[in-house]
Amino acid sequence: GAYLAAMGEADPAALADEPERIAFWINVYNAHTIRFILSVWPTDSIRKHTGWVRFNVWNDYPVRIRDVPYTLHAIEHEILRPMGEPLIHMGLNCASLGCPRLRRQAYSGASVIEKLEENARWFLGREANFRIDRERGRVHLSAVFQWFREDFGGTDRELLDWVAARAGDLQLRVFLSRKDISIRYLDYDWNVNARD
């Protein structure tokens, strides 16, 4: 309650730099998503709350910052994505198992990029989000990379380079640099994350 109230009183225009703005808006998005999930608990998926007659959590669940209403959709697509930092997708959490992890601490401007890079390595370290098939020359990636492909460069090569920069070992980075790699996207797990 107090954390959400403090967020609501914050002045985003007073934030000094882009990392502070990124941290603030990811924190707002995640905190209000969790607040929503708790308000409809028990539920097994946020997707159950996206098709209600006349209600969609991303478009119709108001978040008020200094009495200005924002939707979760607007925070993601109109505020964060235009900043041009693809790492935001490693911090936004929709309370689903397919999402990047939800950290136990709020992001701060001073360390947000470092923490999002950690999240990216964690996310890509899970077989549910990233795996390779060397025999077929194929990479399997989370649907997050399909939905926001343009944020990761827009082309297969740019996306693979982004992944390779955060991949584990040299052999994997060499594999990802091949010209004949094809990409397949994995099914997204919308089940509510009640574990992490």
PDB file of all heavy atoms in Angstrom, residues 165-195:
ATOM      1  N   ALA A 165      25.234 -11.871 -27.470  1.00  0.00           N
ATOM      2  CA  ALA A 165      25.963 -11.011 -26.542  1.00  0.00           C
ATOM      3  C   ALA A 165      25.676 -11.367 -25.092  1.00  0.00           C
ATOM      4  O   ALA A 165      26.437 -11.010 -24.195  1.00  0.00           O
ATOM      5  CB  ALA A 165      25.616  -9.542 -26.802  1.00  0.00           C
ATOM      6  N   ARG A 166      24.574 -12.104 -24.870  1.00  0.00           N
ATOM      7  CA  ARG A 166      24.189 -12.473 -23.504  1.00  0.00           C
ATOM      8  C   ARG A 166      24.216 -13.986 -23.301  1.00  0.00           C
ATOM      9  O   ARG A 166      23.814 -14.479 -22.247  1.00  0.00           O
ATOM     10  CB  ARG A 166      22.793 -11.929 -23.213  1.00  0.00           C
ATOM     11  CG  ARG A 166      22.835 -10.420 -23.072  1.00  0.00           C
ATOM     12  CD  ARG A 166      21.604  -9.727 -23.604  1.00  0.00           C
ATOM     13  NE  ARG A 166      21.840  -8.300 -23.552  1.00  0.00           N
ATOM     14  CZ  ARG A 166      22.313  -7.603 -24.590  1.00  0.00           C
ATOM     15  NH1 ARG A 166      22.579  -8.193 -25.731  1.00  0.00           N
ATOM     16  NH2 ARG A 166      22.527  -6.307 -24.470  1.00  0.00           N
ATOM     17  N   ALA A 167      24.650 -14.698 -24.320  1.00  0.00           N
ATOM     18  CA  ALA A 167      24.686 -16.164 -24.254  1.00  0.00           C
ATOM     19  C   ALA A 167      25.871 -16.610 -23.419  1.00  0.00           C
ATOM     20  O   ALA A 167      26.824 -15.861 -23.208  1.00  0.00           O
ATOM     21  CB  ALA A 167      24.763 -16.747 -25.656  1.00  0.00           C
ATOM     22  N   GLY A 168      25.803 -17.849 -23.001  1.00  0.00           N
ATOM     23  CA  GLY A 168      26.786 -18.391 -22.076  1.00  0.00           C
ATOM     24  C   GLY A 168      28.213 -18.442 -22.555  1.00  0.00           C
ATOM     25  O   GLY A 168      29.041 -17.601 -22.212  1.00  0.00           O
ATOM     26  N   ASP A 169      28.552 -19.375 -23.411  1.00  0.00           N
ATOM     27  CA  ASP A 169      29.960 -19.619 -23.711  1.00  0.00           C
ATOM     28  C   ASP A 169      30.307 -19.264 -25.157  1.00  0.00           C
ATOM     29  O   ASP A 169      29.448 -18.960 -25.968  1.00  0.00           O
ATOM     30  CB  ASP A 169      30.327 -21.076 -23.413  1.00  0.00           C
ATOM     31  CG  ASP A 169      29.464 -22.054 -24.197  1.00  0.00           C
ATOM     32  OD1 ASP A 169      29.120 -21.763 -25.358  1.00  0.00           O
ATOM     33  OD2 ASP A 169      29.130 -23.117 -23.651  1.00  0.00           O
ATOM     34  N   LEU A 170      31.599 -19.326 -25.453  1.00  0.00           N
ATOM     35  CA  LEU A 170      32.102 -18.959 -26.773  1.00  0.00           C
ATOM     36  C   LEU A 170      31.530 -19.865 -27.860  1.00  0.00           C
ATOM     37  O   LEU A 170      31.152 -19.382 -28.931  1.00  0.00           O
ATOM     38  CB  LEU A 170      33.632 -19.010 -26.783  1.00  0.00           C
ATOM     39  CG  LEU A 170      34.302 -18.670 -28.110  1.00  0.00           C
ATOM     40  CD1 LEU A 170      33.934 -17.265 -28.553  1.00  0.00           C
ATOM     41  CD2 LEU A 170      35.816 -18.833 -28.004  1.00  0.00           C
ATOM     42  N   GLN A 171      31.431 -21.171 -27.607  1.00  0.00           N
ATOM     43  CA  GLN A 171      30.889 -22.099 -28.606  1.00  0.00           C
ATOM     44  C   GLN A 171      29.459 -21.713 -28.994  1.00  0.00           C
ATOM     45  O   GLN A 171      29.091 -21.762 -30.164  1.00  0.00           O
ATOM     46  CB  GLN A 171      30.900 -23.536 -28.083  1.00  0.00           C
ATOM     47  CG  GLN A 171      32.244 -24.201 -28.154  1.00  0.00           C
ATOM     48  CD  GLN A 171      32.146 -25.682 -27.783  1.00  0.00           C
ATOM     49  OE1 GLN A 171      31.266 -26.077 -27.036  1.00  0.00           O
ATOM     50  NE2 GLN A 171      33.058 -26.472 -28.318  1.00  0.00           N
ATOM     51  N   LEU A 172      28.672 -21.332 -28.004  1.00  0.00           N
ATOM     52  CA  LEU A 172      27.302 -20.924 -28.278  1.00  0.00           C
ATOM     53  C   LEU A 172      27.278 -19.635 -29.088  1.00  0.00           C
ATOM     54  O   LEU A 172      26.525 -19.511 -30.055  1.00  0.00           O
ATOM     55  CB  LEU A 172      26.543 -20.748 -26.964  1.00  0.00           C
ATOM     56  CG  LEU A 172      25.066 -20.406 -27.061  1.00  0.00           C
ATOM     57  CD1 LEU A 172      24.315 -21.385 -27.948  1.00  0.00           C
ATOM     58  CD2 LEU A 172      24.447 -20.365 -25.678  1.00  0.00           C
ATOM     59  N   ARG A 173      28.130 -18.681 -28.752  1.00  0.00           N
ATOM     60  CA  ARG A 173      28.188 -17.425 -29.510  1.00  0.00           C
ATOM     61  C   ARG A 173      28.634 -17.678 -30.942  1.00  0.00           C
ATOM     62  O   ARG A 173      28.104 -17.061 -31.876  1.00  0.00           O
ATOM     63  CB  ARG A 173      29.101 -16.422 -28.801  1.00  0.00           C
ATOM     64  CG  ARG A 173      28.506 -15.906 -27.503  1.00  0.00           C
ATOM     65  CD  ARG A 173      29.219 -14.684 -26.971  1.00  0.00           C
ATOM     66  NE  ARG A 173      30.595 -14.921 -26.603  1.00  0.00           N
ATOM     67  CZ  ARG A 173      31.010 -15.382 -25.432  1.00  0.00           C
ATOM     68  NH1 ARG A 173      30.128 -15.658 -24.493  1.00  0.00           N
ATOM     69  NH2 ARG A 173      32.287 -15.556 -25.174  1.00  0.00           N
ATOM     70  N   VAL A 174      29.562 -18.598 -31.146  1.00  0.00           N
ATOM     71  CA  VAL A 174      30.005 -18.950 -32.506  1.00  0.00           C
ATOM     72  C   VAL A 174      28.837 -19.570 -33.274  1.00  0.00           C
ATOM     73  O   VAL A 174      28.588 -19.225 -34.436  1.00  0.00           O
ATOM     74  CB  VAL A 174      31.227 -19.901 -32.466  1.00  0.00           C
ATOM     75  CG1 VAL A 174      31.497 -20.496 -33.837  1.00  0.00           C
ATOM     76  CG2 VAL A 174      32.452 -19.161 -31.947  1.00  0.00           C
ATOM     77  N   PHE A 175      28.109 -20.475 -32.649  1.00  0.00           N
ATOM     78  CA  PHE A 175      26.947 -21.086 -33.296  1.00  0.00           C
ATOM     79  C   PHE A 175      25.933 -20.018 -33.713  1.00  0.00           C
ATOM     80  O   PHE A 175      25.415 -20.028 -34.828  1.00  0.00           O
ATOM     81  CB  PHE A 175      26.288 -22.111 -32.361  1.00  0.00           C
ATOM     82  CG  PHE A 175      25.024 -22.702 -32.909  1.00  0.00           C
ATOM     83  CD1 PHE A 175      25.064 -23.716 -33.852  1.00  0.00           C
ATOM     84  CD2 PHE A 175      23.785 -22.247 -32.489  1.00  0.00           C
ATOM     85  CE1 PHE A 175      23.900 -24.259 -34.369  1.00  0.00           C
ATOM     86  CE2 PHE A 175      22.612 -22.777 -33.001  1.00  0.00           C
ATOM     87  CZ  PHE A 175      22.672 -23.793 -33.946  1.00  0.00           C
ATOM     88  N   LEU A 176      25.663 -19.081 -32.824  1.00  0.00           N
ATOM     89  CA  LEU A 176      24.675 -18.035 -33.104  1.00  0.00           C
ATOM     90  C   LEU A 176      25.142 -17.072 -34.191  1.00  0.00           C
ATOM     91  O   LEU A 176      24.331 -16.361 -34.778  1.00  0.00           O
ATOM     92  CB  LEU A 176      24.338 -17.265 -31.826  1.00  0.00           C
ATOM     93  CG  LEU A 176      23.595 -18.064 -30.759  1.00  0.00           C
ATOM     94  CD1 LEU A 176      23.498 -17.274 -29.466  1.00  0.00           C
ATOM     95  CD2 LEU A 176      22.211 -18.468 -31.250  1.00  0.00           C
ATOM     96  N   SER A 177      26.447 -17.048 -34.480  1.00  0.00           N
ATOM     97  CA  SER A 177      26.955 -16.148 -35.514  1.00  0.00           C
ATOM     98  C   SER A 177      26.855 -16.750 -36.917  1.00  0.00           C
ATOM     99  O   SER A 177      27.108 -16.058 -37.906  1.00  0.00           O
ATOM    100  CB  SER A 177      28.402 -15.762 -35.210  1.00  0.00           C
ATOM    101  OG  SER A 177      29.261 -16.870 -35.416  1.00  0.00           O
ATOM    102  N   ARG A 178      26.475 -18.027 -37.000  1.00  0.00           N
ATOM    103  CA  ARG A 178      26.359 -18.666 -38.315  1.00  0.00           C
ATOM    104  C   ARG A 178      25.315 -17.959 -39.178  1.00  0.00           C
ATOM    105  O   ARG A 178      24.316 -17.445 -38.679  1.00  0.00           O
ATOM    106  CB  ARG A 178      25.954 -20.141 -38.152  1.00  0.00           C
ATOM    107  CG  ARG A 178      27.069 -21.003 -37.637  1.00  0.00           C
ATOM    108  CD  ARG A 178      26.655 -22.426 -37.346  1.00  0.00           C
ATOM    109  NE  ARG A 178      25.714 -23.005 -38.289  1.00  0.00           N
ATOM    110  CZ  ARG A 178      25.247 -24.245 -38.197  1.00  0.00           C
ATOM    111  NH1 ARG A 178      25.627 -25.038 -37.210  1.00  0.00           N
ATOM    112  NH2 ARG A 178      24.391 -24.714 -39.081  1.00  0.00           N
ATOM    113  N   LYS A 179      25.558 -17.961 -40.481  1.00  0.00           N
ATOM    114  CA  LYS A 179      24.653 -17.279 -41.415  1.00  0.00           C
ATOM    115  C   LYS A 179      23.404 -18.111 -41.733  1.00  0.00           C
ATOM    116  O   LYS A 179      22.401 -17.573 -42.187  1.00  0.00           O
ATOM    117  CB  LYS A 179      25.389 -16.972 -42.724  1.00  0.00           C
ATOM    118  CG  LYS A 179      26.628 -16.127 -42.539  1.00  0.00           C
ATOM    119  CD  LYS A 179      26.327 -14.681 -42.784  1.00  0.00           C
ATOM    120  CE  LYS A 179      27.574 -13.849 -42.806  1.00  0.00           C
ATOM    121  NZ  LYS A 179      27.875 -13.202 -41.565  1.00  0.00           N
ATOM    122  N   ASP A 180      23.484 -19.432 -41.505  1.00  0.00           N
ATOM    123  CA  ASP A 180      22.390 -20.315 -41.917  1.00  0.00           C
ATOM    124  C   ASP A 180      21.443 -20.681 -40.768  1.00  0.00           C
ATOM    125  O   ASP A 180      20.674 -21.623 -40.863  1.00  0.00           O
ATOM    126  CB  ASP A 180      22.958 -21.598 -42.524  1.00  0.00           C
ATOM    127  CG  ASP A 180      23.833 -22.373 -41.538  1.00  0.00           C
ATOM    128  OD1 ASP A 180      24.284 -21.771 -40.540  1.00  0.00           O
ATOM    129  OD2 ASP A 180      24.058 -23.573 -41.761  1.00  0.00           O
ATOM    130  N   ILE A 181      21.449 -19.911 -39.694  1.00  0.00           N
ATOM    131  CA  ILE A 181      20.589 -20.186 -38.536  1.00  0.00           C
ATOM    132  C   ILE A 181      19.149 -19.802 -38.853  1.00  0.00           C
ATOM    133  O   ILE A 181      18.888 -18.753 -39.445  1.00  0.00           O
ATOM    134  CB  ILE A 181      21.065 -19.358 -37.322  1.00  0.00           C
ATOM    135  CG1 ILE A 181      22.440 -19.782 -36.898  1.00  0.00           C
ATOM    136  CG2 ILE A 181      20.091 -19.460 -36.167  1.00  0.00           C
ATOM    137  CD1 ILE A 181      22.487 -21.070 -36.152  1.00  0.00           C
ATOM    138  N   SER A 182      18.223 -20.645 -38.442  1.00  0.00           N
ATOM    139  CA  SER A 182      16.803 -20.273 -38.523  1.00  0.00           C
ATOM    140  C   SER A 182      16.260 -20.146 -37.102  1.00  0.00           C
ATOM    141  O   SER A 182      16.807 -20.731 -36.161  1.00  0.00           O
ATOM    142  CB  SER A 182      16.011 -21.316 -39.310  1.00  0.00           C
ATOM    143  OG  SER A 182      16.003 -22.558 -38.636  1.00  0.00           O
ATOM    144  N   ILE A 183      15.218 -19.365 -36.961  1.00  0.00           N
ATOM    145  CA  ILE A 183      14.628 -19.103 -35.650  1.00  0.00           C
ATOM    146  C   ILE A 183      13.219 -19.673 -35.610  1.00  0.00           C
ATOM    147  O   ILE A 183      12.438 -19.491 -36.551  1.00  0.00           O
ATOM    148  CB  ILE A 183      14.581 -17.588 -35.352  1.00  0.00           C
ATOM    149  CG1 ILE A 183      15.994 -17.002 -35.336  1.00  0.00           C
ATOM    150  CG2 ILE A 183      13.873 -17.324 -34.022  1.00  0.00           C
ATOM    151  CD1 ILE A 183      16.031 -15.488 -35.180  1.00  0.00           C
ATOM    152  N   ARG A 184      12.916 -20.340 -34.524  1.00  0.00           N
ATOM    153  CA  ARG A 184      11.554 -20.795 -34.223  1.00  0.00           C
ATOM    154  C   ARG A 184      11.191 -20.181 -32.878  1.00  0.00           C
ATOM    155  O   ARG A 184      12.050 -20.041 -32.006  1.00  0.00           O
ATOM    156  CB  ARG A 184      11.461 -22.322 -34.125  1.00  0.00           C
ATOM    157  CG  ARG A 184      11.802 -23.049 -35.401  1.00  0.00           C
ATOM    158  CD  ARG A 184      10.713 -22.868 -36.456  1.00  0.00           C
ATOM    159  NE  ARG A 184      10.973 -23.662 -37.635  1.00  0.00           N
ATOM    160  CZ  ARG A 184      11.715 -23.291 -38.659  1.00  0.00           C
ATOM    161  NH1 ARG A 184      12.331 -22.122 -38.633  1.00  0.00           N
ATOM    162  NH2 ARG A 184      11.876 -24.058 -39.722  1.00  0.00           N
ATOM    163  N   TYR A 185       9.925 -19.825 -32.727  1.00  0.00           N
ATOM    164  CA  TYR A 185       9.493 -19.207 -31.478  1.00  0.00           C
ATOM    165  C   TYR A 185       8.694 -20.203 -30.658  1.00  0.00           C
ATOM    166  O   TYR A 185       7.862 -20.947 -31.181  1.00  0.00           O
ATOM    167  CB  TYR A 185       8.695 -17.936 -31.764  1.00  0.00           C
ATOM    168  CG  TYR A 185       9.578 -16.884 -32.386  1.00  0.00           C
ATOM    169  CD1 TYR A 185       9.567 -16.664 -33.768  1.00  0.00           C
ATOM    170  CD2 TYR A 185      10.456 -16.140 -31.611  1.00  0.00           C
ATOM    171  CE1 TYR A 185      10.403 -15.719 -34.344  1.00  0.00           C
ATOM    172  CE2 TYR A 185      11.298 -15.192 -32.179  1.00  0.00           C
ATOM    173  CZ  TYR A 185      11.256 -14.994 -33.542  1.00  0.00           C
ATOM    174  OH  TYR A 185      12.091 -14.066 -34.114  1.00  0.00           O
ATOM    175  N   LEU A 186       8.971 -20.204 -29.362  1.00  0.00           N
ATOM    176  CA  LEU A 186       8.363 -21.142 -28.434  1.00  0.00           C
ATOM    177  C   LEU A 186       7.004 -20.639 -27.969  1.00  0.00           C
ATOM    178  O   LEU A 186       6.750 -19.433 -27.941  1.00  0.00           O
ATOM    179  CB  LEU A 186       9.287 -21.316 -27.223  1.00  0.00           C
ATOM    180  CG  LEU A 186      10.677 -21.861 -27.546  1.00  0.00           C
ATOM    181  CD1 LEU A 186      11.648 -21.571 -26.413  1.00  0.00           C
ATOM    182  CD2 LEU A 186      10.593 -23.352 -27.834  1.00  0.00           C
ATOM    183  N   ASP A 187       6.151 -21.563 -27.584  1.00  0.00           N
ATOM    184  CA  ASP A 187       4.862 -21.174 -27.002  1.00  0.00           C
ATOM    185  C   ASP A 187       5.119 -20.447 -25.683  1.00  0.00           C
ATOM    186  O   ASP A 187       6.007 -20.817 -24.916  1.00  0.00           O
ATOM    187  CB  ASP A 187       3.987 -22.401 -26.747  1.00  0.00           C
ATOM    188  CG  ASP A 187       3.505 -23.043 -28.041  1.00  0.00           C
ATOM    189  OD1 ASP A 187       3.432 -22.335 -29.066  1.00  0.00           O
ATOM    190  OD2 ASP A 187       3.202 -24.249 -28.013  1.00  0.00           O
ATOM    191  N   TYR A 188       4.346 -19.435 -25.437  1.00  0.00           N
ATOM    192  CA  TYR A 188       4.492 -18.638 -24.220  1.00  0.00           C
ATOM    193  C   TYR A 188       3.665 -19.266 -23.110  1.00  0.00           C
ATOM    194  O   TYR A 188       2.517 -19.647 -23.321  1.00  0.00           O
ATOM    195  CB  TYR A 188       4.017 -17.205 -24.490  1.00  0.00           C
ATOM    196  CG  TYR A 188       4.465 -16.219 -23.459  1.00  0.00           C
ATOM    197  CD1 TYR A 188       5.772 -15.749 -23.452  1.00  0.00           C
ATOM    198  CD2 TYR A 188       3.595 -15.746 -22.486  1.00  0.00           C
ATOM    199  CE1 TYR A 188       6.197 -14.820 -22.510  1.00  0.00           C
ATOM    200  CE2 TYR A 188       4.013 -14.815 -21.554  1.00  0.00           C
ATOM    201  CZ  TYR A 188       5.310 -14.370 -21.563  1.00  0.00           C
ATOM    202  OH  TYR A 188       5.734 -13.456 -20.638  1.00  0.00           O
ATOM    203  N   ASP A 189       4.229 -19.357 -21.926  1.00  0.00           N
ATOM    204  CA  ASP A 189       3.525 -19.945 -20.785  1.00  0.00           C
ATOM    205  C   ASP A 189       2.821 -18.841 -19.998  1.00  0.00           C
ATOM    206  O   ASP A 189       3.447 -18.097 -19.249  1.00  0.00           O
ATOM    207  CB  ASP A 189       4.514 -20.701 -19.886  1.00  0.00           C
ATOM    208  CG  ASP A 189       3.817 -21.526 -18.815  1.00  0.00           C
ATOM    209  OD1 ASP A 189       2.609 -21.310 -18.575  1.00  0.00           O
ATOM    210  OD2 ASP A 189       4.491 -22.387 -18.219  1.00  0.00           O
ATOM    211  N   TRP A 190       1.508 -18.734 -20.191  1.00  0.00           N
ATOM    212  CA  TRP A 190       0.710 -17.704 -19.541  1.00  0.00           C
ATOM    213  C   TRP A 190       0.234 -18.110 -18.149  1.00  0.00           C
ATOM    214  O   TRP A 190      -0.454 -17.338 -17.478  1.00  0.00           O
ATOM    215  CB  TRP A 190      -0.500 -17.347 -20.402  1.00  0.00           C
ATOM    216  CG  TRP A 190      -0.142 -16.532 -21.602  1.00  0.00           C
ATOM    217  CD1 TRP A 190      -0.045 -16.949 -22.894  1.00  0.00           C
ATOM    218  CD2 TRP A 190       0.161 -15.129 -21.628  1.00  0.00           C
ATOM    219  NE1 TRP A 190       0.312 -15.907 -23.725  1.00  0.00           N
ATOM    220  CE2 TRP A 190       0.434 -14.777 -22.967  1.00  0.00           C
ATOM    221  CE3 TRP A 190       0.230 -14.138 -20.646  1.00  0.00           C
ATOM    222  CZ2 TRP A 190       0.773 -13.482 -23.346  1.00  0.00           C
ATOM    223  CZ3 TRP A 190       0.566 -12.853 -21.019  1.00  0.00           C
ATOM    224  CH2 TRP A 190       0.831 -12.547 -22.368  1.00  0.00           C
ATOM    225  N   ASN A 191       0.579 -19.305 -17.692  1.00  0.00           N
ATOM    226  CA  ASN A 191       0.170 -19.710 -16.346  1.00  0.00           C
ATOM    227  C   ASN A 191       0.776 -18.753 -15.321  1.00  0.00           C
ATOM    228  O   ASN A 191       1.922 -18.312 -15.460  1.00  0.00           O
ATOM    229  CB  ASN A 191       0.608 -21.140 -16.041  1.00  0.00           C
ATOM    230  CG  ASN A 191      -0.192 -22.133 -16.824  1.00  0.00           C
ATOM    231  OD1 ASN A 191      -1.424 -22.147 -16.764  1.00  0.00           O
ATOM    232  ND2 ASN A 191       0.480 -22.961 -17.607  1.00  0.00           N
ATOM    233  N   VAL A 192      -0.015 -18.450 -14.297  1.00  0.00           N
ATOM    234  CA  VAL A 192       0.446 -17.493 -13.293  1.00  0.00           C
ATOM    235  C   VAL A 192       1.682 -18.038 -12.588  1.00  0.00           C
ATOM    236  O   VAL A 192       1.783 -19.227 -12.315  1.00  0.00           O
ATOM    237  CB  VAL A 192      -0.679 -17.142 -12.290  1.00  0.00           C
ATOM    238  CG1 VAL A 192      -0.982 -18.287 -11.337  1.00  0.00           C
ATOM    239  CG2 VAL A 192      -0.354 -15.880 -11.526  1.00  0.00           C
ATOM    240  N   ASN A 193       2.625 -17.143 -12.366  1.00  0.00           N
ATOM    241  CA  ASN A 193       3.853 -17.512 -11.678  1.00  0.00           C
ATOM    242  C   ASN A 193       3.648 -17.340 -10.183  1.00  0.00           C
ATOM    243  O   ASN A 193       3.756 -16.238  -9.661  1.00  0.00           O
ATOM    244  CB  ASN A 193       5.019 -16.654 -12.162  1.00  0.00           C
ATOM    245  CG  ASN A 193       6.337 -17.112 -11.578  1.00  0.00           C
ATOM    246  OD1 ASN A 193       6.371 -17.934 -10.671  1.00  0.00           O
ATOM    247  ND2 ASN A 193       7.426 -16.562 -12.080  1.00  0.00           N
ATOM    248  N   ALA A 194       3.345 -18.423  -9.517  1.00  0.00           N
ATOM    249  CA  ALA A 194       3.156 -18.379  -8.066  1.00  0.00           C
ATOM    250  C   ALA A 194       4.392 -18.881  -7.348  1.00  0.00           C
ATOM    251  O   ALA A 194       4.391 -19.034  -6.138  1.00  0.00           O
ATOM    252  CB  ALA A 194       1.934 -19.218  -7.683  1.00  0.00           C
ATOM    253  N   ARG A 195       5.491 -19.128  -8.102  1.00  0.00           N
ATOM    254  CA  ARG A 195       6.696 -19.712  -7.517  1.00  0.00           C
ATOM    255  C   ARG A 195       7.786 -18.693  -7.273  1.00  0.00           C
ATOM    256  O   ARG A 195       8.393 -18.666  -6.227  1.00  0.00           O
ATOM    257  CB  ARG A 195       7.266 -20.801  -8.456  1.00  0.00           C
ATOM    258  CG  ARG A 195       6.341 -21.936  -8.714  1.00  0.00           C
ATOM    259  CD  ARG A 195       7.073 -23.047  -9.445  1.00  0.00           C
ATOM    260  NE  ARG A 195       7.821 -22.586 -10.601  1.00  0.00           N
ATOM    261  CZ  ARG A 195       7.622 -23.038 -11.824  1.00  0.00           C
ATOM    262  NH1 ARG A 195       6.699 -23.922 -12.072  1.00  0.00           N
ATOM    263  NH2 ARG A 195       8.365 -22.608 -12.808  1.00  0.00           N
TER     264      ARG A 195
END
